[in-house]
Amino acid sequence: MGLESTALADAVRRLYAEVAAPGAGGIDLNVLRECIGAEHVVMTSRHDGDTAWRACTQFGQVEERELGQWLTMADHESLVRLTASGLPVRTSTFLSRRAMASTELYQEVLRPLNGGLAAVSYWREHDGWRGLSYCRSLESGHDFREDELASIQALVPHLRTIEQLHAQLRQRTRASVDAAHDMLNLAPQAVLLLDAAGRVVFLNRSASALLARPGCGLRADREGLRARDAAEDRRLQQAVRLAAELAPESRRAALSDGAVAAQGLPVTIRRALPLRPLILSIVPAASLSAQAEFGSARVAVMVHNAGTDGTIATARLVEAYGLTAREAELAVLLGKGEDLAGAAGLMALSAGTARQYLKQIFAKLGVQRQAELVRLLVASFPQE
């Protein structure tokens, strides 16, 4: 008999659970390694003329290339024939331990990987084949027992089903990603999605057009999304790191009430005159439900033209001049031509409170008259 039925059932349960996990890559080879008791597990597949390797533990891309040079396609085809219908075999049955130890393949590739003893199981698929090699150290002398081979064989039907499920999930994910692309490309607002390192993983058509404009103030290259001004770039990178590190709930708690919280963490990017500055609202990608369709996306950047509406202008004033949300709201109304009494009425403020806010605005912006305030706002938000 193979493994205890409870252990085998637990391994099967974990395999099916992993295939549906976000970012899953199909069969979880570590589950197989732990279940059978192997040093590492190698999966080889050939479909439509292409051969692919995947392995867990002690096995990197360099070793994959080296092993691919040693094992020819004829070797794989022989193993496919030997292990028909998923029936596993020990490699020691057709190459003794002593003979294996003398091969260059063992000395150059398998020995450094603690390999040399293997139980292999291949099965055919409609457009090729797939194989698994469970490997142990030749020096340990612990070859695979009959009950372990029986357990490997018992797993094969489940592994075939899991690969079929994973292929179906990939198709659905691709359709979901395409739909997300289409949705973001229809947005008139520029939207960029960044990974945890700040590199761009997606930008919609509006963002592409914006970055292509002369005097944009932003660039996107291999380093990520960067501001051309050094001071602005430092603030941008800090905001991206914060959004990448914190969950949406924590980010919202870290922001103050009012326009800034509504817009996300704002970063102002100046552009060549007469273009208005840009306001970048930087939030975790999960807050846009973008992470499921863009697996590596951690940060969403939404770009606004400063001054196109009162909320954005308010965020600009809060960030640039240290105004409170209410002070900034009053300043925007005055900049749009309201007198103090009219602005106070719109904000439901008493005349005394409005005058106190105006005094604080003057002090923070370094002006002494309302006319100077209006001129400063117009200069800060020039018309395009």
Side-chain angles (χ1 to χ4, degrees):
M1 58 182 296
L3 297 175
E4 291 185 9
S5 58
T6 54
L8 194 60
D10 182 64
V12 170
R13 178 192 59 77
R14 290 173 60 193
L15 287 166
Y16 279 106
E18 285 295 327
V19 76
I27 296 171
D28 188 330
L29 300 181
N30 272 307
V31 173
L32 298 180
R33 180 179 61 83
E34 295 169 5
C35 174
I36 302 301
E39 294 282 348
H40 56 269
V41 178
V42 181
M43 173 177 280
T44 312
S45 59
R46 185 168 179 82
H47 296 93
D48 297 326
D50 295 324
T51 304
W53 300 81
R54 189 161 66 86
C56 68
T57 71
Q58 306 177 39
F59 203 83
Q61 292 181 351
V62 174
E63 289 87 356
E64 289 177 18
R65 289 196 297 270
E66 290 179 354
L67 194 55
Q69 293 171 0
W70 287 102
L71 294 179
T72 67
M73 196 49 54
D75 295 325
H76 286 297
E77 293 293 349
S78 297
L79 290 171
V80 172
R81 289 191 295 271
L82 280 170
T83 60
S85 302
L87 183 66
V89 298
R90 304 182 193 89
T91 54
S92 59
T93 59
F94 49 87
L95 187 63
S96 69
R97 297 181 195 174
R98 178 175 295 182
M100 170 62 77
S102 65
T103 64
E104 198 172 358
L105 167 64
Y106 173 73
Q107 295 296 334
E108 295 293 329
V109 179
L110 300 180
R111 186 175 183 179
L113 295 174
N114 288 327
L117 292 175
V120 295
S121 176
Y122 283 65
W123 61 88
R124 291 194 180 277
E125 297 180 340
H126 70 281
D127 57 350
W129 48 257
R130 193 179 304 273
L132 285 167
S133 299
Y134 301 79
C135 306
R136 289 176 181 163
S137 168
L138 183 67
E139 296 176 354
S140 72
H142 298 309
D143 207 347
F144 291 86
R145 304 186 307 269
E146 289 296 330
D147 62 318
E148 291 171 330
L149 295 180
S151 296
I152 291 172
Q153 184 176 6
L155 287 168
V156 169
H158 297 288
L159 301 180
R160 299 182 72 165
T161 300
I162 286 169
E163 283 299 317
Q164 292 169 1
L165 289 172
H166 186 242
Q168 294 172 8
L169 287 173
R170 282 200 305 267
Q171 292 177 351
R172 294 180 183 178
T173 300
R174 183 68 259 171
S176 178
V177 169
D178 290 342
H181 280 204
D182 292 342
M183 179 187 69
L184 290 177
N185 277 323
L186 289 173
Q189 182 184 37
V191 179
L192 302 94
L193 300 179
L194 315 180
D195 64 14
R199 293 183 293 264
V200 177
V201 297
F202 174 80
L203 66 166
N204 67 354
R205 292 193 184 102
S206 296
S208 297
L210 175 69
L211 293 173
R213 293 183 64 177
C216 169
L218 289 170
R219 60 181 171 85
D221 54 27
R222 287 181 296 180
E223 295 180 359
L225 181 65
R226 309 304 296 257
R228 298 190 182 277
D229 178 82
E232 293 174 349
D233 188 61
R234 285 193 295 272
R235 290 195 293 272
L236 171 59
Q237 302 313 315
Q238 182 182 17
V240 169
R241 285 193 297 271
L242 177 63
E245 292 169 1
L246 296 181
E249 294 76 12
S250 301
R251 271 279 279 106
R252 284 194 291 270
L255 297 172
S256 62
D257 292 335
V260 178
Q263 291 295 324
L265 188 65
V267 174
T268 302
I269 303 296
R270 291 171 296 175
R271 295 191 289 175
L273 294 175
L275 299 178
R276 298 186 183 108
L278 298 174
I279 298 292
L280 276 55
S281 297
I282 301 172
V283 298
S287 65
L288 297 183
S289 301
Q291 213 162 330
E293 287 76 22
F294 303 90
S296 60
R298 294 295 178 271
V299 179
V301 180
M302 294 162 288
V303 185
H304 316 267
N305 282 327
T308 55
D309 62 59
T311 301
I312 298 171
T314 301
R316 167 72 170 90
L317 290 170
V318 169
E319 187 214 12
Y321 299 106
L323 301 184
T324 67
R326 294 291 274 172
E327 290 168 354
E329 185 179 356
L330 176 60
V332 168
L333 289 173
L334 295 174
K336 289 182 175 181
E338 292 287 346
D339 60 19
L340 186 59
L346 290 172
M347 295 177 63
L349 297 175
S350 67
T353 300
R355 284 194 296 271
Q356 182 62 30
Y357 279 171
L358 184 60
K359 183 178 179 180
Q360 293 166 350
I361 292 169
F362 284 173
K364 292 178 180 180
L365 272 65
V367 297
Q368 296 180 340
R369 297 180 179 84
Q370 191 168 325
E372 293 175 5
L373 170 63
V374 173
R375 284 197 296 271
L376 177 61
L377 294 177
V378 171
S380 298
F381 305 101
Q383 297 297 310
E384 288 191 292

